[in-house]
Amino acid sequence: MKIVIVGAGQAAASLAARLRAKGHGGEIVLIGAEPAAPYQRPPLSKAYLLGQMGLDRLVLRGAEWWDDQRIALRLGETATAIDPVLRVVVTDKGKVSYDALALTTGASARRLPAAMGGDLPGVHVIRSLADVDALAPAMQPGRRLIVIGGGYIGLEAAAVARKLDLTVTLIEAAPRILGRVAAPETADMIRALHRAHGVEILEGTGISHITGTDRATGVALTDGRELPADLIVTGIGVLPETALAQTARLALDNGIATDALGRTSDPAIWAAGDCASFPWAGGRLRLESVGNAIDMAEAVADNILGADKPYHPKPWFWSDQFDAKLQIAGLGTGHDRIVTRPGDGQHGGSVWYFREGRLIAVDALNDARAFMIGKRLIESGRSPDPDAIATTTDLKALLA
């Protein structure tokens, strides 16, 4: 059986490795539009942008590993269409036949419209190696950076810029930062961390447009103010890459829709990672995380080989900002109670999410113990008394 994987990120690398580990001896072809072999994305906005990690450490596997595993890398090659009848992937360099096809096309950074100045030189996004290679030379001490968007990518970019001694203003249109992904209590900790490091945060602040003609010179706000800038980073979310799936008329629903096994509406085509949504709690879920990319890709690899085992995610995430680490276990969506627990240091602590008395998520800032205990509780389906979290002197006792 010839298996073709389109997309060359974390999910693709994990899927290919799993196929070989599970004994698949047939042909594996991995097609990626970027010239680099599969690499880690999370360090792009942190260690790589800071210059603390080179491409040699960013790549997931060395060239010799791909050769040893007999996995054909077709890099710098863009898949443009799928013919599901002939079972062929069309690329800008030819055609590739398949018996089974896995789409791990990921997601792309959402950009501001051109009418708002989103395509002006000096406006950057952070998603790919090329994005960060274009941004890094502009991150010079003393320059003025405006970050648009108060999600994790925007906050990480702001933290790196302050470390590099830029003047940083972060603008969030919603009433607060992290509005879609975290409780107000977590946002309060992160806001205090950033302000302590000199980041100016403007919440509930709309943007009219980016100023400048030949290049970006600042941001015009909806309240009439204009803020000058030497460069701008937009961190306003991502969009699942579904264009290729559309050429095969695959079902779409917040990404490429799969069943519980990771199979799309075409029985010979599978999907995993940031591009794919799957059944979850009576609806559909799409997770943008390294953990999901690895776990779902491995589940899909197993199912391509006949395991017939539904994918059950165990969501976890992290974000490094300044010298602080935010670790998240579970999904806090739909919570009806929050319990907070202070940490040991000035910037730290944990936020515990409950729904109908059940623990569903934990955010832990500089508190690895709270994260690990919360993660174990969630994954085992156990829920401690909410009041005990705030009062116990030993969190480990919650596992008893």
Side-chain angles (χ1 to χ4, degrees), residues 79-144:
T80 57
I82 300 167
D83 186 329
V85 176
L86 297 178
R87 294 193 179 181
V88 166
V89 177
V90 181
T91 79
D92 58 353
K93 296 182 179 178
K95 295 181 178 180
V96 185
S97 62
Y98 64 84
D99 297 307
L101 172 63
L103 301 180
T104 58
T105 47
S108 57
R110 189 189 299 269
R111 296 174 183 267
L112 286 176
M116 291 180 67
D119 60 354
L120 282 171
V123 179
H124 300 267
V125 296
I126 298 176
R127 184 66 188 176
S128 69
L129 197 59
D131 292 336
V132 180
D133 285 344
L135 171 61
M139 297 278 270
Q140 298 297 322
R143 288 189 173 176
R144 298 163 298 180

Side-chain angles (χ1 to χ4, degrees), residues 113-327:
M116 291 180 67
D119 60 354
L120 282 171
V123 179
H124 300 267
V125 296
I126 298 176
R127 184 66 188 176
S128 69
L129 197 59
D131 292 336
V132 180
D133 285 344
L135 171 61
M139 297 278 270
Q140 298 297 322
R143 288 189 173 176
R144 298 163 298 180
L145 167 67
I146 290 179
V147 177
I148 299 173
Y152 291 123
I153 288 293
L155 289 162
E156 289 169 2
V160 168
R162 282 302 298 138
K163 280 191 169 186
L164 295 173
D165 204 24
L166 281 78
T167 300
V168 181
T169 301
L170 184 144
I171 303 170
E172 171 56 56
R176 64 173 177 84
I177 59 171
L178 301 177
R180 290 190 308 109
V181 294
E185 292 83 354
T186 301
D188 290 346
M189 291 194 294
I190 298 296
R191 185 188 304 105
L193 172 69
H194 277 257
R195 286 181 172 162
H197 284 85
V199 177
E200 182 181 9
I201 295 179
L202 304 178
E203 294 165 300
T205 302
I207 291 170
S208 168
H209 60 278
I210 294 171
T211 59
T213 50
D214 297 328
R215 66 175 292 107
T217 58
V219 172
L221 305 178
T222 52
D223 62 12
R225 287 181 292 166
E226 287 196 8
L227 305 180
D230 299 302
L231 66 155
I232 293 166
V233 168
T234 57
I236 54 175
V238 299
L239 297 169
E241 284 284 6
T242 59
L244 186 63
Q246 285 178 287
T247 69
R249 293 190 169 90
L250 301 182
L252 304 179
D253 187 349
N254 185 25
I256 304 168
T258 74
D259 63 13
L261 302 180
R263 196 192 302 263
T264 73
S265 53
D266 182 310
I269 304 178
W270 307 71
D274 290 6
C275 68
S277 70
F278 51 87
W280 172 260
R284 298 196 68 79
L285 180 66
R286 186 176 62 82
L287 290 173
E288 299 162 8
S289 74
V290 170
N292 177 69
I294 295 170
D295 294 347
M296 188 178 185
E298 291 185 346
V300 165
D302 292 350
N303 289 328
I304 289 174
L305 299 179
D308 197 33
K309 186 177 179 181
Y311 173 54
H312 297 294
K314 297 177 179 178
W316 60 274
F317 315 86
W318 82 92
S319 177
D320 294 325
Q321 299 175 36
F322 299 105
D323 295 321
K325 179 179 285 290
L326 176 65
Q327 295 170 287

